[in-house]
Amino acid sequence: MSFQLLDPEKGIFLSEAGSTNTILKGKEFPPGSWILADFQSSGRGRKGKTWSILGDEPFIFSGKFSSDSNLSSPGLFSLYVGVAVAKAILSVYPSTSKKDLRIKWPNDIYLNGKKVCGILIETEKEGEVWDWILGIGANLYGTEIPDYLIDAGFITSDQNEKGRRARFLETLLPLLNDAVLAISDGEKRIEFINEKLLWKGETIAWTESGEQKTATLLGVNEEGKLLARTSVGNMVEFIDSPEDFRSLE
C-alpha cells in the first residue's frame, strides 16, 4: 500500500478554529494538508471527550494523510504517531530527558504521570481511497494547571525552553511522515512503544458487564493490540480501551 504524506508547503495557520480535524475533513483540503491553530473552541478527544487548551503555548494540529487501501492493523497508526510525538518532544525539549515520558495506549503522551498530549485519528473512505485525519493537541509550555485538571501537565515549564512551538512543528512534520512510511513498509516499532508503555507490569482494572476486571499489563503486540494476563493466567486482548481503563498502582 502507499500513503500520501504531509507536505510542508501545504500548511494553514489559523488564529482560531472550532475543531481543526473537522475543518481538515473538507474536500477543499487535499491529502498532504495540515493546520496549526492558536486556539480551538471545540477540541475533541476519543469517545466524545473534549480536549482542554492549557498554558501559554498550546499546540493544536491536524494533518491529512491518504492511502490506497485500509491498514491490516489500523491500531498501529495512533501508536506510531505517538512514537513520532514522543521523539519530537525529546528532541526539542531537552529537559524532558530527565522526566518519565510514557505512551498511554492507544493515543496519549504522559510526562511524570501527567497527560501532556492527546492524539485523535479519524478516517473517511471515498471509493478506494482512505483519508486519515490526524489530530494532535499538546500543552507545550505553561506553569499553572487548573484545579479541575489535576491529571494534566505541560511538556515544559522551563523558561529556557519557552517559545519553541515553531521548532516543534518543524521537527514533528518529518517524524510523522516517517511514522506513516514505517506503517506502509511494515517496519516494526513496537519495541519503542513497549519500552515507554504507561502502566506496563502494573495491575490494571476496567469494568465489563457491570463487573470490575483486573489483570497485569504485559505490553503491545505487533498488531497494536494491548495484552494483559489475569491472576489465573488467562490472556486478555484489547483492541480499544474501556471507558474506565486505569491502573490500580
Side-chain angles (χ1 to χ4, degrees):
M1 74 179 303
S2 62
F3 272 91
Q4 187 163 342
L5 305 177
L6 299 182
D7 184 341
E9 303 300 321
K10 289 185 178 179
I12 302 162
F13 295 89
L14 300 175
S15 58
E16 184 173 344
S19 163
T20 53
N21 262 30
T22 299
I23 292 172
L24 209 54
K25 288 179 182 180
K27 297 304 179 184
E28 66 270 29
F29 300 106
S33 301
W34 51 271
I35 294 174
L36 185 67
D38 297 329
F39 177 78
Q40 182 173 246
S41 59
S42 304
R44 294 181 289 111
R46 295 173 67 249
K47 300 182 179 179
K49 295 180 179 179
T50 59
W51 171 258
S52 299
I53 300 168
L54 296 179
D56 302 318
E57 293 174 16
F59 186 80
I60 305 162
F61 175 91
S62 290
K64 180 186 282 188
F65 295 87
S66 72
S67 63
D68 54 12
S69 60
N70 194 13
L71 297 175
S72 57
S73 301
L76 289 177
F77 199 104
S78 181
L79 288 169
Y80 279 32
V81 166
V83 171
V85 173
K87 290 181 176 179
I89 290 172
L90 292 168
S91 174
V92 176
Y93 298 95
S95 67
T96 58
S97 64
K98 301 176 183 179
K99 300 177 182 179
D100 186 23
L101 186 148
R102 296 290 164 182
I103 297 174
K104 181 187 176 186
W105 181 90
N107 63 346
D108 295 329
I109 305 294
Y110 278 64
L111 275 173
N112 286 354
K114 302 292 185 179
K115 180 177 176 178
V116 298
C117 177
I119 298 166
L120 175 66
I121 310 293
E122 299 181 283
T123 59
E124 294 194 330
K125 184 175 185 289
E126 184 171 334
E128 297 303 316
V129 177
W130 289 77
D131 284 341
W132 299 78
I133 311 298
L134 157 64
I136 298 172
N139 305 324
L140 298 184
Y141 171 83
T143 56
E144 295 184 10
I145 297 291
D147 293 338
Y148 64 91
L149 291 173
I150 59 173
D151 293 329
F154 299 110
I155 289 173
T156 187
S157 296
D158 188 336
Q159 285 275 352
N160 296 321
E161 294 179 336
K162 192 177 180 180
R164 298 190 180 186
R165 191 176 76 148
R167 191 191 307 184
F168 184 74
L169 173 66
E170 292 170 2
T171 303
L172 181 61
L173 283 175
L175 286 171
L176 291 175
N177 283 339
D178 177 67
V180 172
L181 285 174
I183 295 172
S184 179
D185 296 340
E187 181 183 329
K188 303 302 182 185
R189 299 193 173 178
I190 298 301
E191 183 177 353
F192 182 95
I193 295 166
N194 280 320
E195 285 178 359
K196 300 291 187 181
L197 187 64
L198 185 71
W199 302 336
K200 185 178 179 182
E202 297 183 13
T203 301
I204 55 170
W206 69 99
T207 300
E208 187 176 303
S209 301
E211 179 183 352
Q212 177 175 286
K213 303 287 186 179
T214 61
T216 300
L217 185 60
L218 302 179
V220 175
N221 68 12
E222 297 294 336
E223 297 177 340
K225 298 175 182 177
L226 194 69
L227 305 178
R229 180 181 289 116
T230 68
S231 59
V232 295
N234 296 329
M235 291 294 294
V236 183
E237 184 179 276
F238 297 93
I239 59 173
D240 196 7
S241 58
E243 190 70 29
D244 62 342
F245 190 70
R246 62 199 184 278
S247 171
L248 295 181
E249 300 182 21

